[in-house]
């Protein structure tokens, strides 16, 4: 029996309507939450409370986007705090979806362009999250130092080791070195996390034919990878191990390919 395949040209208008709905919801919810965010961001000692507001904000947004969460391995979140959470990057919604998963206080490291975003940017500008300018080695070093200071204070750090959403998402892009240098320097564990289908929730909001739909945010929280006793000679094996752990569920579901890189980016 022939299977009927629905053309993306037919579904594109529905995806566009959903994207418009999401933008409206995003702004309305932000107006409600912003006074609480603003108050708690003004002083560093109130940042943990601002984080709790952010988690609630992201949960409300996810519910209104008609997205439910299916989290595997949630018990690993309590095994090794503080940690460096390494998460694959599939969608513009990954930042929102990570907070209902990682509900204990952490600092998010994101690209410096996020500072300019109307709502997400305020968390970077107020110092609750850490922006990274990879085009400037000195500024990037300052950001890494700030993240390591957070680890010294017992605060977890979360990062997308790919550095950006791959053009061929959900295919996993090669990892950069920053997260692994920090883990080895501070001897803290890496917590690998795999988002499976976030590219279906919203791949690229600027492309008319890109998919955007409600559904499930399925997440795998893998067992932590401990770095105690390792040094910088272990950087490449550690990075490759984390890559394989995150990529394996994607390969098993036909979402990514198993591949090795001869040369990794810093």
């Amino acid at each position: 029996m022939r299977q009927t395949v629905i053309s993306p040209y037919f579904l594109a208008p529905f995806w566009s309507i959903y994207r418009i709905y999401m933008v409206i919801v995003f702004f309305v919810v932000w107006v409600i939450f912003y006074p609480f965010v603003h108050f708690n961001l003004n002083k560093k000692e109130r940042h943990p409370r601002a984080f709790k507001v952010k988690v609630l904000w992201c949960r409300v947004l996810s519910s209104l986007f008609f997205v439910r969460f299916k989290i595997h391995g949630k018990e690993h979140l309590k095994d090794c705090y503080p940690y460096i959470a390494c998460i694959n990057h599939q969608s513009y919604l990954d930042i929102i979806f990570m907070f209902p998963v990682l509900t204990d206080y952490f600092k998010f490291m994101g690209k410096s362009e996020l500072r300019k975003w109307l709502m997400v940017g305020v968390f970077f500008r107020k110092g609750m999250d850490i922006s990274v300018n990879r085009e400037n080695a000195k500024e990037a070093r300052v950001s890494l130092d700030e993240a390591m200071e957070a680890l010294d204070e017992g605060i977890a750090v979360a990062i997308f080791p790919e550095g950006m959403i791959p053009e061929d998402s959900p295919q996993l892009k090669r990892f950069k070195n920053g997260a692994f240098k920090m883990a080895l320097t501070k001897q803290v564990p890496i917590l690998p996390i795999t988002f499976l289908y976030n590219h279906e929730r919203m791949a690229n909001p600027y492309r008319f034919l890109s998919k955007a739909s409600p559904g499930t945010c399925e997440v795998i929280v893998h067992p932590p990878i401990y770095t105690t006793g390792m040094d910088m000679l272990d950087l490449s094996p550690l990075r490759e191990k984390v890559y394989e752990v995150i990529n394996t569920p994607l390969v098993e579901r036909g979402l990514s390919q198993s591949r090795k890189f001869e040369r990794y980016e810093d």
Side-chain angles (χ1 to χ4, degrees), residues 218-229:
E218 189 168 356
V219 189
I220 299 176
V221 180
H222 301 278
I225 298 174
Y226 293 93
T227 62
T228 305

Side-chain angles (χ1 to χ4, degrees), residues 57-234:
W57 169 50
C58 292
R59 281 177 167 167
V60 170
L61 279 177
S62 300
S63 296
L64 293 175
F65 292 163
F66 307 107
V67 171
R68 68 183 184 89
F69 287 83
K70 186 176 182 181
I71 305 173
H72 308 277
K74 198 168 185 178
E75 66 276 8
H76 299 308
L77 294 172
K78 304 296 183 183
D79 289 350
C80 57
Y81 193 91
Y83 47 71
I84 298 176
C86 287
I87 311 167
N88 63 313
H89 203 5
Q90 292 186 342
S91 165
Y92 281 75
L93 295 176
D94 290 341
I95 296 175
I96 293 173
F97 291 162
M98 76 166 74
F99 286 92
V101 178
L102 301 173
T103 55
D104 291 323
Y105 183 39
F106 68 87
K107 285 182 176 284
F108 168 52
M109 294 188 74
K111 59 185 180 180
S112 58
E113 290 88 340
L114 292 173
R115 292 177 64 90
K116 302 175 183 178
W117 287 26
L118 182 61
M119 296 165 220
V120 175
V122 68
F123 296 99
F124 292 95
R125 294 191 295 271
K126 293 290 186 178
M128 194 178 105
D129 290 329
I130 304 168
S131 62
V132 183
N133 183 1
R134 293 191 176 93
E135 303 301 318
N136 186 305
K138 184 177 180 180
E139 291 183 14
R141 180 69 239 182
V142 170
S143 298
L144 288 177
D145 288 343
E146 186 179 345
M148 288 192 285
E149 286 176 12
L151 292 168
D152 287 338
E153 295 171 5
I155 301 171
V157 173
I159 191 171
F160 298 127
E162 296 163 280
M164 61 184 296
I165 301 173
E167 287 291 329
D168 55 351
S169 177
Q171 171 67 54
L172 201 63
K173 182 180 171 67
R174 65 181 66 193
F175 286 176
K176 298 181 182 297
N177 283 334
F180 310 101
K181 287 180 178 178
M182 289 191 295
L184 292 171
T185 299
K186 294 301 176 181
Q187 297 285 280
V188 297
I190 297 280
L191 187 67
I193 296 176
T194 305
F195 280 136
L196 291 173
Y197 303 108
N198 282 4
H199 62 288
E200 295 184 357
R201 306 288 70 81
M202 181 185 287
N204 188 331
Y206 306 108
R207 293 180 181 175
F208 179 73
L209 292 179
S210 67
K211 188 171 184 179
S213 66
T216 301
C217 175
E218 189 168 356
V219 189
I220 299 176
V221 180
H222 301 278
I225 298 174
Y226 293 93
T227 62
T228 305
M230 294 184 183
D231 57 30
M232 287 300 166
L233 295 176
D234 297 300

